[in-house]
């Protein structure tokens, strides 16, 4: 007897490969024909042992494209009797109508009375992180939606009082920028041409016209949000909350107005927050375009120079000596008010107390000593100080009580303090100052310098540090409360690794600048009060801060101003602050503003605090921390008890999703599919430079030469959830997401195929109980029910622990590996056998199958809502289970594990059988045995004889065997057999007499040997060549691995040749 040296692992057959796929439900007569072997058979590819049959050129039949027309009236339930189950999965057809019906049926809403009095464990409330109303969702948002809706549907199916609140953010800067660009492009008008009131009207018009794009995307994704509670951060309810919060902060002493240094966008003419700053690293001298400038006349492309360090000299008063300083922003020297040296620097001790003369305007500037700012070993050891335009200089100016001179206007032009360059844009002034210094002989030189440049993420403008009057919120006390709740475990952050970031930011928090110099947003509810005739009082003079009146309305402000000024209301003149609040201010109130706070509404009582905040880790401190601080301060409650932060979504190459890279994908482009041409057109309709458009097109053509195929929402959601298994960042490959459409197809075909087995089956309303107490279950039935319980256990535990990727994998494994590749195949002969003697086994197999399908669909539903609803509704018995039957899968009961139905014995015995089946398949594959040919197996087993004999029918079914003999006498086993030794306990042998053309097999192996030997020889010569030891370690390792692989292959081929020769001799004898 000859033994095989290797054991390939062929994949188990799946429903898509089954001969019966594509057929309609079978009648009893059809089942009888199949049982007798008269049914349709899948055609085998001709092989050498079939008696001939060369290749035939046959044109493949092209299946007609399925055109689906949804004629279900909006909001009504889809009548599946009108739509026969198609041979393949079609996302458009499957997902049609369900979303409208779920919404119209009120499945998404939750009555406050249902939630009142329930414990935290009995309800689930979550707000959507409100996306900016300006644009459309990208795949990062789609991941958020997939995670959040999965949790929402899971909790709803558990019978919890469930509320998922949708909303959008007014996105002050982003929205204003978009509308301003539109006005200029379409009407050649600026916002100033229209005036504030009419401009804001235009923005509202734009919001009404384009604001529904996001809601359409969320509906397409299947998000089960309560649309009746949809909020917009500038609607009346949210606006009332904003005014109340501003007033409460002021009344409690947290809010104040001050003149401070901050980020300033000259393009927007506004202060901006840290989150709206993008940084670019410059390695040295770099030329960049500046949109707010006319262009540099010294550069052919009009670009301006950055990434250089310019040195110039300050003349010392009453001396021929000069003091040399250096700067990357030469124009700011117009606002210099000191030069600092280190107090211990011996080079400059003689200059302590001296004055410098400003070379442009003649202003006297002191030489100061500062050990905090100055490193005497860096550069010349002298540092120019511009307190009004640099954060480090600002601190230095505060320490030394220096003059703060602002030399820029809000638009970035030089103001009167920068004469004689007044009116010049800042980088034009940089060139002019350099020329002026050169003429005076004070320009020392310029060298390349690495630096980081801050740019406004909204306008692309290079930012300036500027001192401006702004409103601030003191955060120290609120930040301490926010860190305390995490430290004491009241607030849980998942994953825990983000706690470090939480503490690092909040323990070092600075006061929050909440005002923005925009027109779109929540106008600050503060009025500057003067008496008639006092018009010359400067509202920006901090000494007049007491005249700012914060109130909930202008009427109240007027009353308070009259009291403040000690006059009648008729004498008061009020001017409302033109600024608006930072967008994060209203977003920070979202968990309770959407519930009606400050009013004591039913929603606020029932649904606040919420249960969970799920969002991206990138806005942990910009949004999440502010919600916690504001919630604790204003409601004295945490807005949620758990924060789950999903990974950042990047493209497959690890790049940030960015319009400028052309790698932003709209979820609808994956759901509905799109051509590569449509992807290109989207690039062309944007604001990218032509060069970047061409590069992005090239990348798109490489990634999607045929466009993106229609995948549907379920495949997108399921694929995105798989990525949550990774670390901090998700490198998202759309092709992998597209691959999950194949899972939907398998799910569809598995159910369509399985429904044939249930054509004559009538389930009961207590099917699982009736089955497990029937006494009719076989070991295979007990096995799959046990696997189903394990899957239920794993998915529930992983949802609880926010391990969505693991939950996805557990459900996938059950459907594909356990149900489709094992159980569905095992029960074919059982269901096809219509004999009376087989009636009980057949009923048990059908009942088990129905339970697995129905429960398995409910198990997957939170992740894949559409296809599971469609298939669940098609199961036999629907509508016959009485008054307690649920109308939709989304309001049915989520499956839980019944430990009593876990059967380790059944799983262990099936494990033994599957090892043997694997060996049988390996043998058949090794000898190229056709599927239609059944083989005779012999199994030797030391310990599992009873199991193998009891389930020998399962081995024959999956291993395509005619007979399985167990532990028979050695003399009865033929000599010409193939062998696989599974382990020291079990060996499988297959009779191959008359099944193998040894001569043909030997020729194929000899041909392979002729290719392998020269490759081995060439590699051997390379490795023995002179100087090979000088090759890189990586290359030598690779060659060593190749050599081992080639050597093993030669040995294996020769062994196989010898094996076939021996078998041929045995068969001849």
């Amino acid at each position: 007897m000859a033994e095989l040296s290797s054991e390939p692992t062929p994949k188990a057959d799946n429903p898509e490969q089954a001969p019966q796929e594509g057929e309609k439900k079978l009648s009893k007569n059809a089942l009888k024909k199949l049982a007798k072997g008269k049914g349709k058979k899948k055609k085998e590819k001709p092989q050498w042992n079939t008696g001939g049959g060369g290749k035939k050129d046959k044109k493949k039949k092209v299946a007609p494209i399925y055109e689906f027309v949804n004629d279900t009236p909006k909001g009504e339930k889809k009548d599946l009797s009108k739509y026969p189950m198609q041979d393949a999965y079609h996302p458009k057809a499957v997902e049609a109508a369900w979303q409208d019906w779920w919404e119209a049926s009120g499945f998404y809403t939750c009555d406050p009375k249902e939630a009142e009095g329930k414990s935290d464990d009995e309800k689930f409330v979550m707000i959507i992180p409100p996306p900016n109303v300006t644009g459309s969702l990208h795949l990062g948002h789609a991941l958020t939606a997939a995670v959040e809706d999965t949790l929402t549907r899971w909790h709803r199916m558990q019978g919890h009082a469930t509320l998922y609140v949708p909303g959008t953010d007014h996105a002050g800067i982003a929205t204003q920028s978009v509308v301003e660009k539109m006005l200029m492009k379409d009407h050649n008008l600026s916002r100033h041409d229209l005036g504030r009131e009419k401009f804001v009207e235009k923005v509202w018009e734009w919001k009404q016209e384009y604001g529904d794009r996001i809601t359409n995307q969320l509906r397409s994704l299947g998000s089960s949000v309560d649309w009746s509670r949809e909020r917009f951060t500038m609607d009346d309810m949210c606006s009332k909350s904003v005014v109340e919060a501003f007033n409460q902060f002021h009344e409690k002493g947290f809010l104040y107005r001050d003149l401070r240094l901050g980020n300033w966008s000259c393009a927007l003419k506004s202060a901006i927050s840290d989150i709206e700053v993008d940084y670019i690293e410059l390695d040295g001298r770099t030329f960049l375009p500046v949109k707010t400038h006319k262009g540099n006349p010294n550069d052919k492309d009009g670009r301006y120079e950055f990434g250089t360090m310019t040195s110039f000299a300050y003349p010392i008063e009453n001396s021929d000596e000069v003091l040399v300083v250096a700067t990357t922003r030469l124009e700011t020297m117009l606002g210099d008010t000191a030069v600092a040296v280190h107090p211990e620097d011996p080079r400059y001790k003689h200059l302590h107390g001296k004055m410098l003369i400003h070379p442009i305007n003649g202003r006297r500037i002191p030489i100061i000593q500062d050990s905090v700012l100055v490193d005497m070993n860096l550069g010349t050891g002298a540092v120019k100080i511009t307190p009004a335009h640099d954060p480090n200089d600002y601190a230095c100016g505060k320490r030394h009580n220096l003059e703060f001179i602002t030399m820029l206007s809000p638009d970035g032009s030089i103001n009167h303090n920068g004469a004689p360059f007044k009116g010049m844009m800042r980088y034009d002034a940089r060139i002019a100052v350099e020329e002026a210094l050169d003429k005076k002989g004070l320009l020392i030189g310029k060298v390349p310098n690495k630096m980081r440049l801050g740019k406004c993420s909204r306008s692309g403008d290079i930012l300036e540090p500027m001192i401006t009057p702004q409103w601030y919120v003191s955060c120290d006390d609120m930040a301490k409360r926010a860190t305390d709740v995490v430290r004491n475990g009241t607030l849980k952050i998942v994953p825990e690794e983000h706690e470090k970031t939480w503490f690092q930011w909040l323990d070092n928090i600075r006061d929050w600048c909440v005002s923005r110099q925009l027109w779109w947003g929540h106008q600050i509810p503060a009025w500057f009060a003067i008496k008639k005739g006092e018009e010359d009082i400067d509202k920006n003079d901090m000494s007049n801060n007491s005249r700012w009146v914060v109130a909930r309305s202008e009427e109240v402000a007027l009353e308070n101003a009259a009291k403040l000024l000690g006059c009648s209301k008729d004498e008061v003149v009020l001017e409302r602050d033109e600024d608006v609040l930072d967008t994060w201010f209203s977003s920070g109130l979202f968990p309770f503003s959407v519930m009606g706070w400050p009013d004591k509404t039913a929603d606020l009582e029932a649904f606040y605090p919420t249960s969970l905040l799920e969002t991206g880790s990138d806005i942990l401190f910009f949004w999440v921390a502010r919600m916690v601080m504001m919630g604790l301060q204003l409601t004295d409650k945490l807005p949620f008890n758990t924060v789950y932060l999903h990974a950042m979504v990047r493209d497959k190459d690890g790049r940030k999703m960015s319009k400028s890279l052309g790698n932003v994908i709209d979820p609808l482009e994956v759901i509905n599919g799109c051509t590569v041409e449509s992807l290109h057109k989207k690039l062309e309709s944007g604001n990218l430079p032509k060069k970047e458009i061409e590069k992005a097109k090239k990348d798109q053509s490489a990634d999607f030469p045929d466009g993106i195929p229609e995948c549907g929402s379920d495949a997108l959601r399921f694929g995105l959830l798989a990525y949550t298994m990774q670390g901090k960042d998700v490198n998202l490959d759309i092709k992998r997401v597209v691959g999950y459409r194949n899972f939907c197809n398998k799910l569809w075909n598995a159910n369509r195929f399985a429904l044939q087995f249930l054509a004559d089956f009538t389930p009961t309303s207590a099917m699982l109980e009736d089955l497990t107490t029937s006494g009719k279950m076989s070991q295979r039935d007990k096995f799959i029910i046990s696997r189903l319980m394990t899957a239920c256990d794993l998915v529930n535990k992983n949802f609880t622990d926010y391990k969505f990727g693991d939950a996805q994998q557990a459900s996938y494994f059950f459907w594909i590996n356990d149900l489709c590749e094992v159980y569905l195949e095992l029960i074919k002969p059982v269901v096809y056998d219509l004999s009376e003697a087989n009636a009980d086994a057949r009923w048990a197999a059908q009942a088990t199958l129905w339970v697995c399908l129905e429960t398995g669909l409910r198990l997957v539903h939170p992740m894949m809502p559409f296809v599971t609803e469609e298939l669940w509704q098609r199961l036999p018995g629907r509508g016959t289970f009485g008054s307690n039957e649920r109308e939709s899968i989304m309001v049915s009961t989520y499956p839980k594990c019944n430990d009593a139905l876990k059967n380790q014995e059944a799983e262990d015995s099936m494990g033994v059988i599957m090892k043997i089946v694997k060996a049988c398949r390996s043998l058949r594959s090794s000898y190229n045995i056709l599927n239609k040919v059944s083989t005779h197996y012999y199994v030797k087993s030391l310990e599992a004889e009873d199991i193998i004999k009891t389930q020998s029918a399962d081995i024959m079914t999956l291993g395509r065997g005619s007979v399985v003999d167990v532990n028979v006498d050695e003399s009865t086993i033929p000599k010409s057999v193939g062998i696989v030794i599974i382990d020291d306990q079990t060996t499988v042998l297959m009779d191959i007499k008359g099944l193998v053309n040894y001569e043909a097999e030997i020729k194929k192996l000899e041909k392979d040997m002729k290719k392998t030997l020269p490759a081995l020889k060439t590699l051997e010569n390379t490795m023995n060549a002179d100087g090979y030891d000088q090759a890189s370690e990586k290359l030598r390792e690779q060659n060593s691995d190749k050599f081992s692989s080639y050597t093993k292959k030669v040995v294996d081929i020769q062994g196989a040749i010898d094996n076939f020769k021996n078998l041929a001799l045995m068969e001849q004898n």
Side-chain angles (χ1 to χ4, degrees):
M1 291 182 290
E3 180 178 330
L4 290 179
S5 60
S6 61
E7 182 188 339
T9 311
K11 191 175 181 181
D13 294 339
N14 63 42
E16 292 180 292
Q17 298 167 327
Q20 290 80 7
E21 184 182 295
E23 296 175 10
K24 296 180 179 178
K25 286 187 177 180
L26 301 181
S27 64
K28 286 190 176 182
N29 287 334
L31 285 167
K32 287 179 180 178
K33 287 181 181 180
L34 281 172
K36 294 176 182 177
K38 296 179 181 179
K40 294 180 179 178
K41 294 183 179 178
K42 186 176 179 181
K43 291 184 178 180
E44 297 284 352
K45 182 180 178 182
Q47 298 188 34
W48 53 263
N49 62 346
T50 62
K55 291 184 179 179
K56 294 181 180 179
D57 293 328
K58 286 188 176 180
K59 291 184 178 179
K60 291 182 179 180
K61 291 183 179 179
V62 179
I65 297 174
Y66 175 57
E67 293 290 346
F68 173 76
V69 178
N70 178 28
D71 56 7
T72 303
K74 188 176 178 63
E76 292 189 14
K77 186 177 181 180
K78 189 192 294 187
D79 183 356
L80 295 177
S81 65
K82 294 181 180 179
Y83 307 106
M85 201 167 183
Q86 294 298 310
D87 290 348
Y89 168 71
H90 297 282
K92 183 179 178 182
V94 169
E95 297 180 2
W98 292 122
Q99 175 73 21
D100 291 337
W101 176 60
W102 290 330
E103 195 175 329
S105 300
F107 297 149
Y108 292 174
T109 193
C110 186
D111 191 327
K113 293 179 181 177
E114 182 187 346
E116 282 179 9
K118 285 198 171 187
S119 68
D120 290 343
D121 293 335
E122 297 174 304
K123 62 182 178 181
F124 180 76
V125 183
M126 181 169 55
I127 59 163
I128 196 170
N132 290 352
V133 74
T134 48
S136 59
L137 304 182
H138 54 64
L139 288 179
H141 296 109
L143 173 61
T144 300
V147 168
E148 291 179 358
D149 192 56
T150 293
L151 283 170
T152 301
R153 289 178 181 272
W154 177 57
H155 279 282
R156 189 182 289 116
M157 292 177 74
Q158 292 182 88
H160 300 162
T162 303
L163 180 64
Y164 183 19
V165 182
T168 48
D169 194 290
H170 66 277
I173 291 176
T175 305
Q176 179 163 314
S177 296
V178 168
V179 177
E180 283 194 82
K181 287 177 183 176
M182 181 194 69
L183 280 173
M184 184 57 65
K185 182 179 179 181
D186 297 344
H187 306 288
N188 198 31
L189 292 174
S190 70
R191 62 182 164 113
H192 298 284
D193 294 330
L194 286 181
R196 182 169 189 149
E197 187 175 341
K198 287 194 176 296
F199 175 77
V200 171
E201 287 177 8
K202 282 290 183 185
V203 181
W204 276 107
E205 288 175 12
W206 182 91
K207 190 266 178 188
Q208 298 304 326
E209 185 175 351
Y210 296 102
D212 61 352
R213 286 182 297 186
I214 290 171
T215 58
N216 290 338
Q217 287 176 304
L218 287 173
R219 284 185 166 97
S220 295
L221 284 164
S223 294
S224 57
V225 295
D226 185 352
W227 291 107
S228 68
R229 287 181 166 92
E230 183 183 4
R231 298 262 66 89
F232 175 54
T233 51
M234 278 187 63
D235 64 22
D236 291 342
M237 182 185 288
C238 290
S239 294
K240 182 177 181 179
S241 298
V242 169
V243 171
E244 180 65 25
F246 193 88
N247 275 267
Q248 285 199 25
F249 280 143
H250 184 260
E251 290 161 1
K252 294 175 182 178
F254 288 98
L255 185 80
Y256 63 94
R257 185 175 169 84
D258 197 8
L259 199 64
R260 291 189 177 183
L261 190 78
N263 297 316
W264 184 265
S265 168
C266 299
L268 297 172
K269 302 182 185 67
S270 174
I272 67 167
S273 66
D274 291 340
I275 197 173
E276 288 151 344
V277 181
D278 289 335
Y279 291 98
I280 58 172
E281 301 291 337
L282 304 182
D283 290 330
R285 190 177 186 221
T286 307
F287 285 85
L288 299 172
V290 181
K291 294 179 181 178
T292 55
H293 288 42
K294 291 181 179 180
N296 179 3
N298 301 324
D299 180 77
K300 63 183 179 64
D301 296 318
R303 301 167 304 168
Y304 291 83
E305 184 183 62
F306 299 89
T308 59
M309 182 74 75
T310 303
S311 300
F312 69 95
Y314 264 114
I316 297 172
E317 187 179 39
N318 300 323
S319 170
D320 294 333
E321 197 175 354
V322 295
L323 190 56
V324 177
V325 296
T327 178
T328 58
R329 298 159 63 218
L330 184 59
E331 69 282 1
T332 61
M333 63 88 66
L334 298 172
D336 285 357
T337 57
V339 169
V341 296
H342 196 283
E344 302 300 323
D345 193 332
R347 293 172 295 177
Y348 303 124
K349 282 194 173 183
H350 68 291
L351 297 180
H352 291 186
K354 300 286 185 178
M355 302 293 285
L356 304 169
I357 302 300
H358 196 288
I360 302 297
N361 54 41
R363 193 168 59 244
R364 297 177 75 239
I365 295 175
I367 299 173
I368 62 172
Q369 295 80 55
D370 193 298
S371 59
V372 177
L373 179 63
V374 180
D375 180 350
M376 70 176 82
N377 297 314
L378 188 65
T380 63
V383 180
K384 62 183 283 298
I385 307 298
T386 320
H389 292 283
D390 182 273
N392 293 321
D393 294 0
Y394 177 84
C396 179
K398 288 286 187 182
R399 286 194 298 274
H400 296 275
N401 197 28
L402 298 176
E403 184 180 4
F404 286 68
I405 297 177
T406 298
M407 39 69 64
L408 286 178
S409 299
D411 65 352
S413 63
I414 306 300
N415 65 17
H416 65 282
N417 290 320
F421 307 108
K422 180 182 177 182
M424 278 189 182
M425 298 305 290
R426 51 189 164 150
Y427 300 126
D428 292 321
R430 176 178 295 181
I431 297 169
V433 169
E434 182 179 333
E435 291 173 351
L437 289 171
D438 192 24
K439 287 179 181 178
K440 292 176 180 289
L442 297 174
L443 184 67
I444 305 300
K446 185 162 55 175
V447 294
N449 181 71
K450 286 186 177 182
M451 63 180 294
R452 191 170 76 150
L453 206 58
K455 299 184 74 174
C456 175
S457 63
R458 301 301 182 187
S459 65
D461 184 42
I462 297 167
L463 295 172
E464 286 290 341
M466 288 266 278
I467 292 180
T468 52
Q470 306 288 348
W471 291 93
Y472 291 87
V473 172
S474 175
C475 295
D476 290 343
D477 291 345
M478 290 191 289
K480 186 179 185 307
R481 291 186 71 180
T483 55
D484 286 347
V485 292
V486 174
R487 287 189 168 106
N488 64 30
T490 309
L491 176 63
K492 184 179 180 183
I493 298 177
V494 181
E496 286 186 6
E497 65 198 54
H498 292 292
E499 288 184 2
K500 183 179 179 181
T501 305
W502 183 267
F503 295 135
Q504 185 176 7
W505 189 73
L506 288 172
D507 287 341
N508 299 283
I509 198 167
R510 295 184 297 177
D511 287 357
W512 175 16
C513 174
V514 295
S515 48
R516 298 289 179 269
Q517 289 62 54
L518 305 172
W519 286 357
W520 173 246
H522 295 280
Q523 191 170 355
I524 289 174
W527 289 261
F528 190 72
I530 59 173
K531 291 181 183 179
K532 291 179 179 177
E534 289 184 328
E535 282 78 2
D536 59 339
I537 295 179
D538 185 3
K539 64 183 178 183
N540 291 324
D541 186 335
M542 294 299 105
S543 65
N544 295 323
N545 260 357
S546 61
R547 287 176 176 260
W548 283 100
V549 179
V550 175
R552 289 167 178 81
S553 68
E554 187 168 4
E555 184 180 352
V556 174
L558 187 60
E559 292 178 2
N560 292 342
K563 293 177 184 177
L564 174 70
L565 299 175
C567 62
S568 67
K569 290 193 288 187
D570 292 341
E571 295 179 81
V572 175
V573 176
L574 291 180
E575 181 185 354
R576 186 168 184 176
D577 194 330
E578 291 186 346
D579 292 351
V580 299
L581 284 166
D582 179 12
T583 299
W584 296 107
F585 191 94
S586 54
S587 300
L589 306 173
F590 207 64
F592 45 98
S593 67
V594 299
M595 306 297 181
W597 183 88
D599 296 335
K600 293 183 178 180
T601 64
D603 276 5
L604 189 66
E605 293 296 319
F607 300 123
Y608 184 80
T610 65
S611 310
L612 173 75
L613 189 282
E614 192 283 337
T615 189
S617 57
D618 56 322
I619 53 174
L620 173 63
F621 37 87
F622 293 114
W623 183 45
V624 181
R626 281 168 179 159
M627 281 189 287
V628 172
M629 289 193 298
M630 297 175 88
L632 287 171
Q633 180 60 42
L634 297 170
T635 71
D636 205 32
K637 294 177 182 178
L638 271 173
F640 29 75
N641 54 46
T642 303
V643 176
Y644 172 71
L645 300 164
H646 66 246
M648 283 292 294
V649 178
R650 300 181 181 275
D651 71 7
K652 63 182 176 62
D653 299 316
R655 299 178 304 175
K656 182 180 179 181
M657 292 284 186
S658 167
K659 289 179 181 178
S660 64
L661 294 173
N663 61 356
V664 173
I665 302 292
D666 184 332
L668 296 183
E669 291 170 338
V670 181
I671 293 172
N672 301 323
C674 65
T675 63
V676 69
E677 289 77 18
S678 66
L679 292 172
H680 291 347
K681 285 181 180 177
K682 187 174 77 170
L683 286 172
E684 292 167 357
S685 64
N687 298 316
L688 288 180
K690 188 175 180 180
K691 186 177 180 181
E692 291 179 15
I693 289 176
E694 293 308 313
K695 184 179 182 302
K697 281 183 178 181
K698 187 177 180 181
D699 290 342
Q700 287 180 342
S701 297
D703 288 340
F704 312 110
D706 301 317
I708 300 175
E710 177 192 8
C711 296
S713 174
D714 289 321
L716 176 58
R717 289 168 59 125
F718 204 63
L720 289 171
L721 289 172
Y723 273 98
T724 59
M725 295 177 70
Q726 297 186 6
K728 292 182 179 179
D729 287 348
V730 169
N731 290 354
L732 183 63
D733 186 352
I734 301 299
K735 293 175 184 176
R736 182 178 166 190
V737 174
V738 170
Y740 279 100
R741 186 191 189 284
N742 297 333
F743 174 67
C744 293
N745 197 50
K746 288 182 179 181
L747 196 68
W748 180 267
N749 285 332
N751 279 268
R752 185 173 61 84
F753 178 61
L755 289 177
Q756 299 173 11
F757 291 172
L758 302 174
D760 58 347
F761 178 73
T762 303
T764 65
S765 59
M767 193 71 261
L768 181 58
E769 182 181 356
D770 293 344
L771 169 67
T772 54
T773 58
S774 68
K776 300 176 182 180
M777 296 176 72
S778 67
Q779 198 75 337
R780 72 180 74 88
D781 300 331
K782 294 175 183 177
F783 157 76
I784 196 63
I785 293 298
S786 180
R787 296 301 302 152
L788 176 62
M789 292 301 107
T790 298
C792 292
D793 191 22
L794 286 172
V795 173
N796 277 293
K797 282 181 178 177
N798 286 318
F799 279 165
T800 300
D801 295 335
Y802 307 107
K803 295 180 178 179
F804 302 100
D806 292 340
Q808 186 253 26
Q809 286 298 299
S811 60
Y812 180 94
F813 190 94
F814 169 75
W815 271 99
I816 300 302
N817 295 58
D818 294 332
L819 185 59
C820 294
E821 295 184 357
V822 178
Y823 189 73
L824 267 177
E825 297 297 321
L826 286 176
I827 63 173
K828 285 180 183 179
V830 182
V831 177
Y832 292 155
D833 184 354
L834 302 179
S835 66
E836 192 63 34
N838 187 54
D840 285 350
R842 187 171 186 272
W843 177 88
Q846 289 178 306
T848 302
L849 177 59
W850 188 92
V851 166
C852 287
L853 294 177
E854 196 275 341
T855 308
L857 289 171
R858 284 188 285 127
L859 188 70
V860 179
H861 173 75
M863 295 176 277
M864 305 176 74
F866 295 103
V867 69
T868 51
E869 180 76 87
E870 177 101 2
L871 293 171
W872 190 81
Q873 296 286 355
R874 289 183 183 274
L875 289 176
R878 192 63 53 219
T880 67
F881 299 136
S883 59
N884 291 327
E885 181 177 354
R886 300 299 176 91
E887 192 176 3
S888 166
I889 191 173
M890 72 166 288
V891 289
S892 64
T893 303
Y894 197 74
K896 292 185 178 179
C897 173
N898 182 343
D899 286 328
L901 299 181
K902 283 186 175 180
N903 191 321
Q904 195 59 48
E905 181 187 346
E907 292 199 38
D908 289 343
S909 64
M910 187 58 73
V912 171
I913 299 304
M914 291 309 297
K915 284 183 180 180
I916 295 171
V917 167
K918 182 179 178 183
C920 293
R921 289 172 170 171
S922 174
L923 285 166
R924 294 177 63 89
S925 174
S926 297
Y927 291 102
N928 295 321
I929 308 299
L930 290 173
N931 286 340
K932 69 179 181 180
V933 177
S934 297
T935 48
H936 189 151
Y937 295 110
Y938 299 88
V939 182
K940 296 179 181 181
S941 178
L942 299 179
E943 295 183 352
E945 181 176 344
D946 291 342
I947 292 173
I948 299 167
K949 286 182 176 179
T950 302
Q951 293 183 248
S952 61
D954 292 341
I955 297 173
M956 287 190 286
T957 299
L958 297 180
R960 299 185 185 274
S962 56
V963 180
V964 177
D965 286 327
V966 185
N967 289 343
V968 296
D969 190 280
E970 287 283 342
S971 63
T972 64
I973 301 175
K975 293 181 179 180
S976 55
V977 293
I979 302 175
V980 169
I981 298 173
I982 295 175
D983 51 37
D984 60 351
Q985 301 290 316
T986 310
T987 300
V988 177
L989 306 91
M990 181 179 73
D991 185 0
I992 59 174
K993 187 175 182 179
L995 299 179
V996 179
N997 185 329
Y998 300 113
E999 185 180 349
E1001 292 299 316
I1002 290 170
K1003 284 183 178 178
K1004 282 194 289 184
L1005 289 166
E1006 288 175 341
K1007 185 178 180 180
D1008 196 7
M1009 183 71 89
K1010 286 180 180 179
K1011 292 180 179 177
T1012 306
L1013 284 173
L1016 176 61
K1017 184 64 178 174
T1018 300
L1019 183 60
E1020 188 176 13
N1021 291 338
T1022 299
M1023 295 173 70
N1024 292 328
D1026 293 339
Y1028 180 73
D1029 57 342
Q1030 301 300 315
S1032 69
E1033 183 179 351
K1034 183 178 180 181
L1035 178 63
R1036 285 184 280 123
E1037 284 180 3
Q1038 290 174 345
N1039 286 343
S1040 179
D1041 291 341
K1042 282 183 185 179
F1043 186 81
S1044 299
S1045 178
Y1046 283 145
T1047 303
K1048 183 180 183 302
K1049 186 175 181 180
V1050 168
V1051 172
D1052 289 346
I1053 292 172
Q1054 189 59 55
I1057 291 172
D1058 295 341
N1059 180 43
F1060 280 128
K1061 287 179 178 178
N1062 290 334
L1063 288 170
L1065 287 172
M1066 288 179 189
E1067 199 163 303
Q1068 288 172 6
N1069 296 329

